[in-house]
Amino acid sequence: MIKYENINLYFDGKMIFNDLSLKIAKGEKVVVLGKSGLGKSSLFSLILGFVRPQSGRVSFDGDPVDEHTIWHVRQKVSFVDQDVSIGDYKVSDWFSFVAGIKSNHSLNFGEERINELMDLFELGRDLLDKYISALSGGERQRVAIIVSVLLGRRVFLLDEVTSALDKNLKKKTADFFIERKDWTVVSISHDAVWLDNPNVKVFDLEKKAWKQ
Amino acid sequence: METIDISIYSLSLVFLLLAVPVILSQVYGLGLIKPLLSSATRMTIQLVLIGVFLKYLFLWNNALINILWLFVMILVAVFSAIRGSSMKPDKIFAPIFISFALATFVIIFYINMFVIRLDHVFDARYLIVLGGMLLGNSLRGNIVGIDTFYKSIRKDAKKYLYVLSLGATHHEAVRTYMKESIRLALKPTIASMATIGIVALPGMMTGVILGGASPDVAIKYQIMIMIGIVVSTMISVLLTILLTSQACFTEYGTLRRNIFIEDNPE
């Protein structure tokens, strides 16, 4: 599904990746592990076309990620960044903004579906009327997760999505993603709920190898 | 009613007025004497030259020469605009030039043809004077617009990339920033429209009145030029943003890394 081949990536003269190769198959659940500054997030930026490698190849679903395919790739991937939002609007505006993007027009952003997910992630209904800036870190993370699920895509790139959640919610969230057989999930996280799950493969970015 | 000419002798009386700041500067040690006198000299020389030039321009009143001169004015405006911007000149020169030229021409042509109904659409007096006013006033808005646009995308990088990741087209991703920067670019002009005439007598009116026309003619010209300025600012800001996109964004829709002056070269 996602393939990095001999990637060399420099940023501001600093080496991020040197000859990195990694293959993630369809339906796999992968956690990327490594110290900060190792370039974990750059793995996501490469798939999403936010950075381009100096050499090497990134492919998505068999096609190389380039200036032509990237717009299509972005419609296939759900990306949840660390404390991301759409600016200072209400939570409900966040949903309507995402639903308003042309390529998302056919999606179900109905009230029922939103409420179902809000319940699942233990968010009160009154949250919809709150301003995003008034949410706690954990609440914002969960809204971002809900948005990513509403997008109806099958590939998830999750950057520290459970970091601000309490123990119970961490488990619930990780399991939610891990249990979907047809979803390909790549998660950057240090949380045990991901690392200790037997269905999750752990990639050690420092050693550039799968952890046995 | 003719405008009263100022004789050379009378003009020297104006220069005498400069003695006031010179003496004050001396007394209080403001250090303004040299810059003041040098600027006054520069201004005088420039205006004398332009006076002679305009005299012939009006005398010949040749459409081609008039248009050429308007282009020179646009060029100077663009250089001045670029100096005030935080963007790299090579990225924005051509887009700003094309935008200014197009916006100015469209508005001037419309005004001269349909509003003032000149027989000679490229008449020097109207083309040069109105063109100068449009350019001078849309300049600042244009710089505010384009700087705001690119700076806010850079500042909001995380959010901008998130929106791209949601499957937005480039146009969809920049739309909020476009709206905000055009709004900011037009804000001063819209605000000054609302207070015009009460707070200050605007330049166009002063000129028309001194030129011998009655105030009711003057206000019509003022209304015309204010609307012209808003429209041409809007056109030029929008066009500048659209035309700089190619040079400032990658084919992946991300902002290029070397578009601001403060950036290190790639």
Side-chain angles (χ1 to χ4, degrees), chain A residues 12 49-50 52 66-67 71 74 79 81-82 84-86 94 98 101-104 147 153, chain B residues 158-159 161-170 172 175-176 250-254 256-257:
Chain A
D12 287 335
F50 301 158
R52 272 171 287 173
D66 61 26
E67 67 269 32
W71 303 93
R74 287 177 187 150
F79 169 55
D81 201 357
Q82 299 176 52
V84 74
S85 84
I86 57 151
W94 191 342
V98 177
I101 291 171
K102 224 182 287 160
S103 62
N104 297 334
V147 170
R153 302 171 185 175
Chain B
K158 206 174 174 132
K159 179 190 143 194
L161 294 178
Y162 174 63
V163 174
L164 281 181
S165 85
L166 291 170
T169 61
H170 182 239
E172 284 177 313
R175 198 163 47 199
T176 355
T250 65
E251 287 137 322
Y252 291 71
T254 56
R256 284 189 201 278
R257 288 169 46 71

Side-chain angles (χ1 to χ4, degrees), chain B residues 226-240:
Chain B
M226 284 309 286
I227 292 175
I229 288 168
V230 173
V231 179
S232 81
T233 307
M234 174 119 194
I235 296 175
S236 66
V237 175
L238 189 68
L239 267 182
T240 307

Side-chain angles (χ1 to χ4, degrees), chain A:
Chain A
M1 195 75 203
I2 297 168
K3 203 153 93 184
Y4 302 89
E5 290 167 282
N6 312 103
I7 301 289
N8 282 298
L9 178 69
Y10 294 83
F11 209 69
D12 287 335
K14 194 181 149 228
M15 193 189 75
I16 309 285
F17 297 139
N18 175 24
D19 196 31
L20 175 87
S21 295
L22 169 64
K23 251 200 263 183
I24 295 162
K26 199 170 177 175
E28 269 185 334
K29 314 291 181 278
V30 172
V31 170
V32 179
L33 190 63
K35 290 196 295 264
S36 72
L38 266 180
K40 296 184 297 278
S41 302
S42 299
L43 279 177
F44 292 174
S45 298
L46 281 165
I47 305 172
L48 294 162
F50 301 158
V51 292
R52 272 171 287 173
Q54 274 68 27
S55 66
R57 207 162 93 133
V58 184
S59 350
F60 181 85
D61 208 6
D63 294 320
V65 172
D66 61 26
E67 67 269 32
H68 306 294
T69 55
I70 188 62
W71 303 93
H72 178 70
V73 171
R74 287 177 187 150
Q75 294 172 14
K76 294 280 171 199
V77 175
S78 252
F79 169 55
V80 185
D81 201 357
Q82 299 176 52
D83 58 52
V84 74
S85 84
I86 57 151
D88 201 14
Y89 298 96
K90 284 182 182 174
V91 172
S92 54
D93 296 327
W94 191 342
F95 292 125
S96 29
F97 176 83
V98 177
I101 291 171
K102 224 182 287 160
S103 62
N104 297 334
H105 274 181
S106 56
L107 299 176
N108 174 11
F109 272 70
E111 205 181 312
E112 204 178 317
R113 179 82 176 117
I114 290 178
N115 286 338
E116 183 190 319
L117 287 164
M118 299 268 286
D119 292 346
L120 180 73
F121 288 102
E122 298 174 22
L123 294 171
R125 303 267 163 98
D126 58 328
L127 204 82
L128 285 173
D129 280 326
K130 282 196 186 158
Y131 277 88
I132 296 168
S133 57
L135 303 185
S136 72
E139 285 172 329
R140 202 161 61 229
Q141 270 185 342
R142 280 174 280 165
V143 175
I145 290 169
I146 292 174
V147 170
S148 78
V149 173
L150 285 169
L151 287 169
R153 302 171 185 175
R154 291 200 177 83
V155 180
F156 288 83
L157 306 177
L158 312 174
D159 198 344
E160 301 282 7
V161 290
T162 44
S163 61
L165 305 182
D166 66 34
K167 217 171 136 192
N168 168 39
L169 266 167
K170 272 186 208 284
K171 176 105 180 78
K172 201 166 173 180
T173 305
D175 288 348
F176 174 80
F177 284 103
I178 295 165
E179 279 163 11
R180 311 287 145 131
K181 290 270 177 296
D182 57 336
W183 285 3
T184 309
V185 179
V186 188
S187 169
I188 294 171
S189 179
H190 296 96
D191 283 331
V193 288
W194 297 94
L195 292 166
D196 296 345
N197 191 306
N199 296 319
V200 172
K201 286 172 82 178
V202 180
F203 186 77
D204 185 335
L205 195 56
E206 196 165 2
K207 294 184 183 136
K208 291 194 276 186
W210 294 104
K211 217 168 171 172
Q212 299 305 320

Side-chain angles (χ1 to χ4, degrees), chain B residues 27-46:
Chain B
V27 172
Y28 291 104
L30 302 176
L32 283 176
I33 300 180
K34 221 179 126 191
L36 187 69
L37 293 183
S38 111
S39 290
T41 315
R42 271 193 66 167
M43 170 188 74
T44 311
I45 295 171
Q46 283 168 14

